[in-house]
């Protein structure tokens, strides 16, 4: 059994890492989907994801989104050896996964500079905040307030996503295939 969690600022490549896992037949639980579903259930537009994420944490504690994701991960583990959890946001969420899965949990931080991420998000255009750099800075500030910087610092593996898309995909496949990382490279650092 392996649970691989990803953490990273908006536009870093977490979604692409999840897509690599899915193409390899590895199920993915996307924590952002928990927030998107709750936003829809509350009858709010997508621009309110941040507000809903904050509300969930205020209403149910800082690990609320992780706690809603854990049963989904466990369901997948009944029939799969590996599950990827896309989008941890805080040290508290990391704690929840470490407490549940112990040494079977690996945290991967996907990282890229602001300008690279801003360009990717503008191209993606999933919502209006993707195209506005000020909104992106606000979104990053909110993510860091949740404790994302602590989670990134605690990562077992760091993948720097600054090269080609195919190079990034190779790095992700390598992490998915390796149960006990032992090597360091310039673009993929194992802690």
């Amino acid at each position: 059994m392996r649970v691989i969690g990803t953490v990273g600022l908006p536009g870093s490549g977490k979604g692409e890492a999840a897509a690599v896992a899915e193409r390899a037949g590895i199920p993915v639980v996307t924590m952002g989907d928990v927030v998107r579903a709750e936003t829809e259930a509350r009858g709010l537009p997508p621009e309110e994801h941040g507000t809903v994420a904050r509300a969930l944490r205020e209403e149910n504690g800082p690990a609320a989104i992780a706690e809603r994701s854990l049963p989904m991960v466990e369901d997948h583990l009944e029939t799969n050896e590996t599950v990827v959890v896309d989008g941890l946001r805080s040290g508290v969420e990391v704690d929840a996964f470490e407490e549940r899965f112990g040494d079977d949990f690996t945290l991967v931080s996907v990282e890229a500079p602001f300008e690279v991420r801003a360009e990717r998000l503008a191209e993606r255009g999933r919502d209006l905040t993707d195209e506005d750099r000020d909104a992106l800075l606000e979104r990053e500030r909110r993510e860091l307030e949740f404790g994302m910087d602590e989670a990134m610092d605690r990562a077992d593996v760091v993948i720097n996503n600054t090269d080609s898309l195919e190079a990034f995909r190779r790095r992700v496949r390598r992490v998915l295939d390796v149960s006990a990382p032992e090597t360091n490279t310039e673009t993929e650092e194992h802690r």
Side-chain angles (χ1 to χ4, degrees):
M1 172 178 75
R2 290 191 319 151
V3 177
I4 300 171
T6 63
V7 61
L9 290 166
S12 62
K14 296 180 308 295
E16 182 59 33
V20 169
E22 288 175 333
R23 283 192 295 273
I26 298 170
V28 175
V29 173
T30 303
M31 291 180 61
D33 286 347
V34 170
V35 176
R36 283 185 271 283
E38 183 66 20
T39 301
E40 188 175 313
R42 293 181 183 205
L44 298 171
E47 294 78 27
E48 296 298 322
H49 288 160
T51 302
V52 172
R54 189 174 291 121
L56 281 170
R57 289 176 174 99
E58 288 171 2
E59 294 163 6
N60 303 298
I65 298 167
E67 290 168 356
R68 287 185 181 205
S69 301
L70 285 168
M72 293 183 271
V73 173
E74 290 172 331
D75 286 346
H76 285 299
L77 286 171
E78 289 181 16
T79 56
N80 296 276
E81 180 61 27
T82 303
V83 176
V84 169
V85 180
D86 175 26
L88 281 82
R89 296 285 193 277
S90 70
V92 172
E93 292 178 347
V94 173
D95 291 342
F97 284 94
E98 287 179 343
E99 286 171 18
R100 185 68 59 97
F101 302 110
D103 290 340
D104 293 325
F105 177 72
T106 300
L107 183 63
V108 177
S109 181
V110 181
E111 301 180 6
F114 177 82
E115 287 303 319
V116 171
R117 291 183 290 105
E119 287 176 27
R120 288 177 184 156
L121 289 171
E123 289 172 11
R124 177 176 80 179
R126 185 167 64 194
D127 60 47
L128 296 177
T129 61
D130 285 350
E131 299 172 18
D132 179 343
R133 287 177 189 255
D134 289 335
L136 176 57
L137 286 170
E138 172 59 25
R139 189 169 155 200
E140 283 193 14
R141 185 191 61 72
R142 184 178 63 239
E143 300 284 1
L144 293 171
E145 280 179 4
F146 291 149
M148 185 178 287
D149 52 347
E150 177 193 347
M152 292 171 74
D153 288 344
R154 290 174 57 184
D156 302 298
V157 178
V158 175
I159 299 177
N160 291 308
N161 183 10
T162 54
D163 295 327
S164 71
L165 181 58
E166 190 49 45
F168 175 68
R169 288 174 176 159
R170 277 193 306 272
R171 288 183 204 113
V172 171
R173 284 190 295 268
R174 197 166 33 239
V175 169
L176 294 173
D177 292 337
V178 177
S179 61
E182 298 175 3
T183 61
N184 289 332
T185 69
E186 204 171 300
T187 54
E188 181 182 330
E189 175 186 334
H190 299 276
R191 294 182 182 162

PDB file of all heavy atoms in Angstrom, residues 24-58:
ATOM      1  N   ALA A  24      -1.515   6.083 -15.705  1.00  0.00           N
ATOM      2  CA  ALA A  24      -0.825   4.857 -15.284  1.00  0.00           C
ATOM      3  C   ALA A  24      -1.777   3.895 -14.566  1.00  0.00           C
ATOM      4  O   ALA A  24      -1.352   2.860 -14.063  1.00  0.00           O
ATOM      5  CB  ALA A  24       0.349   5.215 -14.376  1.00  0.00           C
ATOM      6  N   GLY A  25      -3.047   4.268 -14.482  1.00  0.00           N
ATOM      7  CA  GLY A  25      -4.030   3.413 -13.831  1.00  0.00           C
ATOM      8  C   GLY A  25      -4.080   3.564 -12.319  1.00  0.00           C
ATOM      9  O   GLY A  25      -4.678   2.735 -11.629  1.00  0.00           O
ATOM     10  N   ILE A  26      -3.490   4.612 -11.807  1.00  0.00           N
ATOM     11  CA  ILE A  26      -3.484   4.872 -10.364  1.00  0.00           C
ATOM     12  C   ILE A  26      -4.627   5.832 -10.046  1.00  0.00           C
ATOM     13  O   ILE A  26      -4.711   6.911 -10.636  1.00  0.00           O
ATOM     14  CB  ILE A  26      -2.135   5.475  -9.923  1.00  0.00           C
ATOM     15  CG1 ILE A  26      -1.002   4.478 -10.195  1.00  0.00           C
ATOM     16  CG2 ILE A  26      -2.166   5.879  -8.453  1.00  0.00           C
ATOM     17  CD1 ILE A  26       0.392   5.045 -10.027  1.00  0.00           C
ATOM     18  N   PRO A  27      -5.514   5.466  -9.128  1.00  0.00           N
ATOM     19  CA  PRO A  27      -6.619   6.376  -8.795  1.00  0.00           C
ATOM     20  C   PRO A  27      -6.114   7.633  -8.096  1.00  0.00           C
ATOM     21  O   PRO A  27      -5.121   7.599  -7.366  1.00  0.00           O
ATOM     22  CB  PRO A  27      -7.504   5.545  -7.872  1.00  0.00           C
ATOM     23  CG  PRO A  27      -6.679   4.415  -7.411  1.00  0.00           C
ATOM     24  CD  PRO A  27      -5.571   4.214  -8.390  1.00  0.00           C
ATOM     25  N   VAL A  28      -6.834   8.725  -8.326  1.00  0.00           N
ATOM     26  CA  VAL A  28      -6.475  10.024  -7.758  1.00  0.00           C
ATOM     27  C   VAL A  28      -7.675  10.578  -6.999  1.00  0.00           C
ATOM     28  O   VAL A  28      -8.786  10.607  -7.514  1.00  0.00           O
ATOM     29  CB  VAL A  28      -6.060  11.021  -8.865  1.00  0.00           C
ATOM     30  CG1 VAL A  28      -5.804  12.411  -8.281  1.00  0.00           C
ATOM     31  CG2 VAL A  28      -4.825  10.506  -9.610  1.00  0.00           C
ATOM     32  N   VAL A  29      -7.420  11.011  -5.782  1.00  0.00           N
ATOM     33  CA  VAL A  29      -8.408  11.744  -4.989  1.00  0.00           C
ATOM     34  C   VAL A  29      -7.948  13.191  -4.988  1.00  0.00           C
ATOM     35  O   VAL A  29      -6.859  13.500  -4.515  1.00  0.00           O
ATOM     36  CB  VAL A  29      -8.502  11.193  -3.549  1.00  0.00           C
ATOM     37  CG1 VAL A  29      -9.397  12.079  -2.691  1.00  0.00           C
ATOM     38  CG2 VAL A  29      -8.988   9.758  -3.564  1.00  0.00           C
ATOM     39  N   THR A  30      -8.770  14.077  -5.538  1.00  0.00           N
ATOM     40  CA  THR A  30      -8.417  15.491  -5.643  1.00  0.00           C
ATOM     41  C   THR A  30      -9.108  16.263  -4.534  1.00  0.00           C
ATOM     42  O   THR A  30     -10.340  16.365  -4.517  1.00  0.00           O
ATOM     43  CB  THR A  30      -8.815  16.041  -7.026  1.00  0.00           C
ATOM     44  OG1 THR A  30      -8.154  15.251  -8.027  1.00  0.00           O
ATOM     45  CG2 THR A  30      -8.412  17.492  -7.186  1.00  0.00           C
ATOM     46  N   MET A  31      -8.302  16.793  -3.615  1.00  0.00           N
ATOM     47  CA  MET A  31      -8.884  17.500  -2.476  1.00  0.00           C
ATOM     48  C   MET A  31      -9.647  18.744  -2.921  1.00  0.00           C
ATOM     49  O   MET A  31     -10.646  19.106  -2.311  1.00  0.00           O
ATOM     50  CB  MET A  31      -7.799  17.807  -1.455  1.00  0.00           C
ATOM     51  CG  MET A  31      -7.303  16.509  -0.805  1.00  0.00           C
ATOM     52  SD  MET A  31      -6.031  16.716   0.431  1.00  0.00           S
ATOM     53  CE  MET A  31      -6.853  17.724   1.642  1.00  0.00           C
ATOM     54  N   GLY A  32      -9.208  19.370  -3.992  1.00  0.00           N
ATOM     55  CA  GLY A  32      -9.932  20.516  -4.515  1.00  0.00           C
ATOM     56  C   GLY A  32     -11.333  20.155  -4.970  1.00  0.00           C
ATOM     57  O   GLY A  32     -12.245  20.989  -4.931  1.00  0.00           O
ATOM     58  N   ASP A  33     -11.532  18.901  -5.389  1.00  0.00           N
ATOM     59  CA  ASP A  33     -12.873  18.465  -5.792  1.00  0.00           C
ATOM     60  C   ASP A  33     -13.828  18.468  -4.602  1.00  0.00           C
ATOM     61  O   ASP A  33     -15.029  18.714  -4.758  1.00  0.00           O
ATOM     62  CB  ASP A  33     -12.838  17.075  -6.426  1.00  0.00           C
ATOM     63  CG  ASP A  33     -12.246  17.091  -7.829  1.00  0.00           C
ATOM     64  OD1 ASP A  33     -12.083  18.191  -8.409  1.00  0.00           O
ATOM     65  OD2 ASP A  33     -11.939  15.994  -8.335  1.00  0.00           O
ATOM     66  N   VAL A  34     -13.298  18.188  -3.420  1.00  0.00           N
ATOM     67  CA  VAL A  34     -14.115  18.252  -2.204  1.00  0.00           C
ATOM     68  C   VAL A  34     -14.635  19.681  -2.029  1.00  0.00           C
ATOM     69  O   VAL A  34     -15.818  19.907  -1.757  1.00  0.00           O
ATOM     70  CB  VAL A  34     -13.302  17.809  -0.965  1.00  0.00           C
ATOM     71  CG1 VAL A  34     -14.043  18.099   0.326  1.00  0.00           C
ATOM     72  CG2 VAL A  34     -12.936  16.329  -1.071  1.00  0.00           C
ATOM     73  N   VAL A  35     -13.744  20.649  -2.226  1.00  0.00           N
ATOM     74  CA  VAL A  35     -14.137  22.059  -2.082  1.00  0.00           C
ATOM     75  C   VAL A  35     -15.085  22.467  -3.201  1.00  0.00           C
ATOM     76  O   VAL A  35     -16.096  23.138  -2.960  1.00  0.00           O
ATOM     77  CB  VAL A  35     -12.892  22.973  -2.061  1.00  0.00           C
ATOM     78  CG1 VAL A  35     -13.291  24.448  -2.019  1.00  0.00           C
ATOM     79  CG2 VAL A  35     -11.994  22.625  -0.880  1.00  0.00           C
ATOM     80  N   ARG A  36     -14.790  22.051  -4.430  1.00  0.00           N
ATOM     81  CA  ARG A  36     -15.675  22.394  -5.560  1.00  0.00           C
ATOM     82  C   ARG A  36     -17.074  21.819  -5.349  1.00  0.00           C
ATOM     83  O   ARG A  36     -18.081  22.490  -5.594  1.00  0.00           O
ATOM     84  CB  ARG A  36     -15.070  21.903  -6.876  1.00  0.00           C
ATOM     85  CG  ARG A  36     -13.934  22.804  -7.371  1.00  0.00           C
ATOM     86  CD  ARG A  36     -13.424  22.390  -8.740  1.00  0.00           C
ATOM     87  NE  ARG A  36     -12.358  21.411  -8.661  1.00  0.00           N
ATOM     88  CZ  ARG A  36     -11.102  21.681  -8.353  1.00  0.00           C
ATOM     89  NH1 ARG A  36     -10.735  22.924  -8.080  1.00  0.00           N
ATOM     90  NH2 ARG A  36     -10.191  20.726  -8.323  1.00  0.00           N
ATOM     91  N   ALA A  37     -17.155  20.585  -4.863  1.00  0.00           N
ATOM     92  CA  ALA A  37     -18.469  19.970  -4.615  1.00  0.00           C
ATOM     93  C   ALA A  37     -19.221  20.718  -3.524  1.00  0.00           C
ATOM     94  O   ALA A  37     -20.435  20.949  -3.639  1.00  0.00           O
ATOM     95  CB  ALA A  37     -18.299  18.503  -4.230  1.00  0.00           C
ATOM     96  N   GLU A  38     -18.520  21.109  -2.488  1.00  0.00           N
ATOM     97  CA  GLU A  38     -19.170  21.848  -1.402  1.00  0.00           C
ATOM     98  C   GLU A  38     -19.595  23.237  -1.872  1.00  0.00           C
ATOM     99  O   GLU A  38     -20.662  23.731  -1.475  1.00  0.00           O
ATOM    100  CB  GLU A  38     -18.238  21.952  -0.192  1.00  0.00           C
ATOM    101  CG  GLU A  38     -18.846  22.638   1.007  1.00  0.00           C
ATOM    102  CD  GLU A  38     -20.014  21.871   1.632  1.00  0.00           C
ATOM    103  OE1 GLU A  38     -20.155  20.653   1.405  1.00  0.00           O
ATOM    104  OE2 GLU A  38     -20.802  22.521   2.367  1.00  0.00           O
ATOM    105  N   THR A  39     -18.790  23.868  -2.726  1.00  0.00           N
ATOM    106  CA  THR A  39     -19.143  25.181  -3.276  1.00  0.00           C
ATOM    107  C   THR A  39     -20.440  25.066  -4.069  1.00  0.00           C
ATOM    108  O   THR A  39     -21.357  25.879  -3.911  1.00  0.00           O
ATOM    109  CB  THR A  39     -18.001  25.710  -4.179  1.00  0.00           C
ATOM    110  OG1 THR A  39     -16.803  25.798  -3.397  1.00  0.00           O
ATOM    111  CG2 THR A  39     -18.332  27.078  -4.747  1.00  0.00           C
ATOM    112  N   GLU A  40     -20.530  24.034  -4.882  1.00  0.00           N
ATOM    113  CA  GLU A  40     -21.747  23.800  -5.678  1.00  0.00           C
ATOM    114  C   GLU A  40     -22.934  23.488  -4.761  1.00  0.00           C
ATOM    115  O   GLU A  40     -24.040  23.996  -4.968  1.00  0.00           O
ATOM    116  CB  GLU A  40     -21.507  22.656  -6.656  1.00  0.00           C
ATOM    117  CG  GLU A  40     -22.634  22.464  -7.633  1.00  0.00           C
ATOM    118  CD  GLU A  40     -22.306  21.401  -8.667  1.00  0.00           C
ATOM    119  OE1 GLU A  40     -21.190  21.434  -9.221  1.00  0.00           O
ATOM    120  OE2 GLU A  40     -23.186  20.552  -8.921  1.00  0.00           O
ATOM    121  N   ALA A  41     -22.701  22.667  -3.738  1.00  0.00           N
ATOM    122  CA  ALA A  41     -23.785  22.299  -2.813  1.00  0.00           C
ATOM    123  C   ALA A  41     -24.323  23.524  -2.084  1.00  0.00           C
ATOM    124  O   ALA A  41     -25.513  23.575  -1.743  1.00  0.00           O
ATOM    125  CB  ALA A  41     -23.289  21.271  -1.798  1.00  0.00           C
ATOM    126  N   ARG A  42     -23.464  24.497  -1.874  1.00  0.00           N
ATOM    127  CA  ARG A  42     -23.898  25.730  -1.199  1.00  0.00           C
ATOM    128  C   ARG A  42     -24.480  26.735  -2.181  1.00  0.00           C
ATOM    129  O   ARG A  42     -24.861  27.841  -1.791  1.00  0.00           O
ATOM    130  CB  ARG A  42     -22.727  26.354  -0.441  1.00  0.00           C
ATOM    131  CG  ARG A  42     -22.268  25.497   0.735  1.00  0.00           C
ATOM    132  CD  ARG A  42     -21.132  26.116   1.492  1.00  0.00           C
ATOM    133  NE  ARG A  42     -20.687  25.214   2.562  1.00  0.00           N
ATOM    134  CZ  ARG A  42     -20.077  25.618   3.664  1.00  0.00           C
ATOM    135  NH1 ARG A  42     -19.815  26.908   3.856  1.00  0.00           N
ATOM    136  NH2 ARG A  42     -19.715  24.737   4.573  1.00  0.00           N
ATOM    137  N   GLY A  43     -24.541  26.364  -3.460  1.00  0.00           N
ATOM    138  CA  GLY A  43     -25.132  27.240  -4.468  1.00  0.00           C
ATOM    139  C   GLY A  43     -24.280  28.452  -4.794  1.00  0.00           C
ATOM    140  O   GLY A  43     -24.801  29.477  -5.227  1.00  0.00           O
ATOM    141  N   LEU A  44     -22.956  28.313  -4.635  1.00  0.00           N
ATOM    142  CA  LEU A  44     -22.054  29.434  -4.876  1.00  0.00           C
ATOM    143  C   LEU A  44     -21.293  29.246  -6.183  1.00  0.00           C
ATOM    144  O   LEU A  44     -21.077  28.113  -6.623  1.00  0.00           O
ATOM    145  CB  LEU A  44     -21.069  29.570  -3.712  1.00  0.00           C
ATOM    146  CG  LEU A  44     -21.703  29.875  -2.354  1.00  0.00           C
ATOM    147  CD1 LEU A  44     -20.670  29.768  -1.242  1.00  0.00           C
ATOM    148  CD2 LEU A  44     -22.338  31.261  -2.373  1.00  0.00           C
ATOM    149  N   PRO A  45     -20.857  30.348  -6.807  1.00  0.00           N
ATOM    150  CA  PRO A  45     -20.100  30.243  -8.062  1.00  0.00           C
ATOM    151  C   PRO A  45     -18.663  29.776  -7.795  1.00  0.00           C
ATOM    152  O   PRO A  45     -18.163  29.880  -6.666  1.00  0.00           O
ATOM    153  CB  PRO A  45     -20.127  31.676  -8.603  1.00  0.00           C
ATOM    154  CG  PRO A  45     -20.252  32.535  -7.391  1.00  0.00           C
ATOM    155  CD  PRO A  45     -21.105  31.745  -6.424  1.00  0.00           C
ATOM    156  N   PRO A  46     -17.973  29.279  -8.829  1.00  0.00           N
ATOM    157  CA  PRO A  46     -16.600  28.785  -8.674  1.00  0.00           C
ATOM    158  C   PRO A  46     -15.631  29.806  -8.066  1.00  0.00           C
ATOM    159  O   PRO A  46     -14.673  29.423  -7.400  1.00  0.00           O
ATOM    160  CB  PRO A  46     -16.179  28.432 -10.102  1.00  0.00           C
ATOM    161  CG  PRO A  46     -17.453  28.179 -10.826  1.00  0.00           C
ATOM    162  CD  PRO A  46     -18.466  29.085 -10.196  1.00  0.00           C
ATOM    163  N   GLU A  47     -15.890  31.079  -8.263  1.00  0.00           N
ATOM    164  CA  GLU A  47     -15.001  32.111  -7.710  1.00  0.00           C
ATOM    165  C   GLU A  47     -14.988  32.098  -6.184  1.00  0.00           C
ATOM    166  O   GLU A  47     -14.132  32.711  -5.557  1.00  0.00           O
ATOM    167  CB  GLU A  47     -15.423  33.509  -8.195  1.00  0.00           C
ATOM    168  CG  GLU A  47     -15.253  33.724  -9.685  1.00  0.00           C
ATOM    169  CD  GLU A  47     -16.372  33.080 -10.512  1.00  0.00           C
ATOM    170  OE1 GLU A  47     -17.512  32.906 -10.010  1.00  0.00           O
ATOM    171  OE2 GLU A  47     -16.088  32.733 -11.678  1.00  0.00           O
ATOM    172  N   GLU A  48     -15.914  31.380  -5.588  1.00  0.00           N
ATOM    173  CA  GLU A  48     -16.019  31.322  -4.124  1.00  0.00           C
ATOM    174  C   GLU A  48     -15.316  30.101  -3.515  1.00  0.00           C
ATOM    175  O   GLU A  48     -15.469  29.835  -2.328  1.00  0.00           O
ATOM    176  CB  GLU A  48     -17.495  31.345  -3.709  1.00  0.00           C
ATOM    177  CG  GLU A  48     -18.208  32.630  -4.073  1.00  0.00           C
ATOM    178  CD  GLU A  48     -17.611  33.845  -3.372  1.00  0.00           C
ATOM    179  OE1 GLU A  48     -17.220  33.732  -2.198  1.00  0.00           O
ATOM    180  OE2 GLU A  48     -17.537  34.913  -4.020  1.00  0.00           O
ATOM    181  N   HIS A  49     -14.538  29.368  -4.311  1.00  0.00           N
ATOM    182  CA  HIS A  49     -13.842  28.184  -3.782  1.00  0.00           C
ATOM    183  C   HIS A  49     -13.030  28.527  -2.548  1.00  0.00           C
ATOM    184  O   HIS A  49     -13.067  27.792  -1.552  1.00  0.00           O
ATOM    185  CB  HIS A  49     -12.909  27.574  -4.834  1.00  0.00           C
ATOM    186  CG  HIS A  49     -13.632  26.885  -5.928  1.00  0.00           C
ATOM    187  ND1 HIS A  49     -13.048  26.633  -7.136  1.00  0.00           N
ATOM    188  CD2 HIS A  49     -14.882  26.384  -6.011  1.00  0.00           C
ATOM    189  CE1 HIS A  49     -13.902  26.016  -7.925  1.00  0.00           C
ATOM    190  NE2 HIS A  49     -15.030  25.862  -7.267  1.00  0.00           N
ATOM    191  N   GLY A  50     -12.280  29.628  -2.606  1.00  0.00           N
ATOM    192  CA  GLY A  50     -11.443  30.017  -1.468  1.00  0.00           C
ATOM    193  C   GLY A  50     -12.263  30.297  -0.229  1.00  0.00           C
ATOM    194  O   GLY A  50     -11.894  29.907   0.888  1.00  0.00           O
ATOM    195  N   THR A  51     -13.390  30.963  -0.413  1.00  0.00           N
ATOM    196  CA  THR A  51     -14.278  31.270   0.702  1.00  0.00           C
ATOM    197  C   THR A  51     -14.829  29.985   1.322  1.00  0.00           C
ATOM    198  O   THR A  51     -14.874  29.839   2.546  1.00  0.00           O
ATOM    199  CB  THR A  51     -15.447  32.164   0.216  1.00  0.00           C
ATOM    200  OG1 THR A  51     -14.901  33.347  -0.363  1.00  0.00           O
ATOM    201  CG2 THR A  51     -16.381  32.520   1.357  1.00  0.00           C
ATOM    202  N   VAL A  52     -15.206  29.045   0.467  1.00  0.00           N
ATOM    203  CA  VAL A  52     -15.760  27.781   0.949  1.00  0.00           C
ATOM    204  C   VAL A  52     -14.675  26.952   1.643  1.00  0.00           C
ATOM    205  O   VAL A  52     -14.928  26.349   2.693  1.00  0.00           O
ATOM    206  CB  VAL A  52     -16.436  26.999  -0.194  1.00  0.00           C
ATOM    207  CG1 VAL A  52     -16.842  25.611   0.254  1.00  0.00           C
ATOM    208  CG2 VAL A  52     -17.656  27.778  -0.697  1.00  0.00           C
ATOM    209  N   ALA A  53     -13.473  26.935   1.080  1.00  0.00           N
ATOM    210  CA  ALA A  53     -12.372  26.192   1.720  1.00  0.00           C
ATOM    211  C   ALA A  53     -12.114  26.742   3.120  1.00  0.00           C
ATOM    212  O   ALA A  53     -11.956  25.978   4.083  1.00  0.00           O
ATOM    213  CB  ALA A  53     -11.111  26.280   0.869  1.00  0.00           C
ATOM    214  N   ARG A  54     -12.108  28.048   3.226  1.00  0.00           N
ATOM    215  CA  ARG A  54     -11.902  28.681   4.535  1.00  0.00           C
ATOM    216  C   ARG A  54     -13.063  28.342   5.477  1.00  0.00           C
ATOM    217  O   ARG A  54     -12.862  27.994   6.643  1.00  0.00           O
ATOM    218  CB  ARG A  54     -11.767  30.196   4.366  1.00  0.00           C
ATOM    219  CG  ARG A  54     -11.333  30.911   5.629  1.00  0.00           C
ATOM    220  CD  ARG A  54     -11.068  32.399   5.404  1.00  0.00           C
ATOM    221  NE  ARG A  54      -9.886  32.582   4.582  1.00  0.00           N
ATOM    222  CZ  ARG A  54      -9.868  33.211   3.403  1.00  0.00           C
ATOM    223  NH1 ARG A  54     -10.966  33.712   2.897  1.00  0.00           N
ATOM    224  NH2 ARG A  54      -8.749  33.340   2.733  1.00  0.00           N
ATOM    225  N   ALA A  55     -14.283  28.401   4.959  1.00  0.00           N
ATOM    226  CA  ALA A  55     -15.469  28.102   5.777  1.00  0.00           C
ATOM    227  C   ALA A  55     -15.451  26.660   6.271  1.00  0.00           C
ATOM    228  O   ALA A  55     -15.759  26.396   7.446  1.00  0.00           O
ATOM    229  CB  ALA A  55     -16.744  28.376   4.976  1.00  0.00           C
ATOM    230  N   LEU A  56     -15.100  25.714   5.403  1.00  0.00           N
ATOM    231  CA  LEU A  56     -15.032  24.309   5.819  1.00  0.00           C
ATOM    232  C   LEU A  56     -14.057  24.133   6.973  1.00  0.00           C
ATOM    233  O   LEU A  56     -14.343  23.410   7.938  1.00  0.00           O
ATOM    234  CB  LEU A  56     -14.612  23.417   4.645  1.00  0.00           C
ATOM    235  CG  LEU A  56     -15.693  23.068   3.641  1.00  0.00           C
ATOM    236  CD1 LEU A  56     -15.086  22.386   2.416  1.00  0.00           C
ATOM    237  CD2 LEU A  56     -16.753  22.190   4.268  1.00  0.00           C
ATOM    238  N   ARG A  57     -12.918  24.795   6.876  1.00  0.00           N
ATOM    239  CA  ARG A  57     -11.910  24.684   7.937  1.00  0.00           C
ATOM    240  C   ARG A  57     -12.386  25.348   9.224  1.00  0.00           C
ATOM    241  O   ARG A  57     -12.120  24.862  10.315  1.00  0.00           O
ATOM    242  CB  ARG A  57     -10.590  25.262   7.446  1.00  0.00           C
ATOM    243  CG  ARG A  57      -9.926  24.378   6.397  1.00  0.00           C
ATOM    244  CD  ARG A  57      -8.650  25.013   5.835  1.00  0.00           C
ATOM    245  NE  ARG A  57      -7.968  24.104   4.938  1.00  0.00           N
ATOM    246  CZ  ARG A  57      -8.066  24.144   3.607  1.00  0.00           C
ATOM    247  NH1 ARG A  57      -8.834  25.051   3.031  1.00  0.00           N
ATOM    248  NH2 ARG A  57      -7.410  23.286   2.870  1.00  0.00           N
ATOM    249  N   GLU A  58     -13.078  26.480   9.086  1.00  0.00           N
ATOM    250  CA  GLU A  58     -13.600  27.166  10.281  1.00  0.00           C
ATOM    251  C   GLU A  58     -14.716  26.355  10.929  1.00  0.00           C
ATOM    252  O   GLU A  58     -14.797  26.258  12.149  1.00  0.00           O
ATOM    253  CB  GLU A  58     -14.102  28.563   9.911  1.00  0.00           C
ATOM    254  CG  GLU A  58     -12.975  29.533   9.589  1.00  0.00           C
ATOM    255  CD  GLU A  58     -13.464  30.856   9.002  1.00  0.00           C
ATOM    256  OE1 GLU A  58     -14.695  31.055   8.872  1.00  0.00           O
ATOM    257  OE2 GLU A  58     -12.604  31.686   8.667  1.00  0.00           O
TER     258      GLU A  58
END
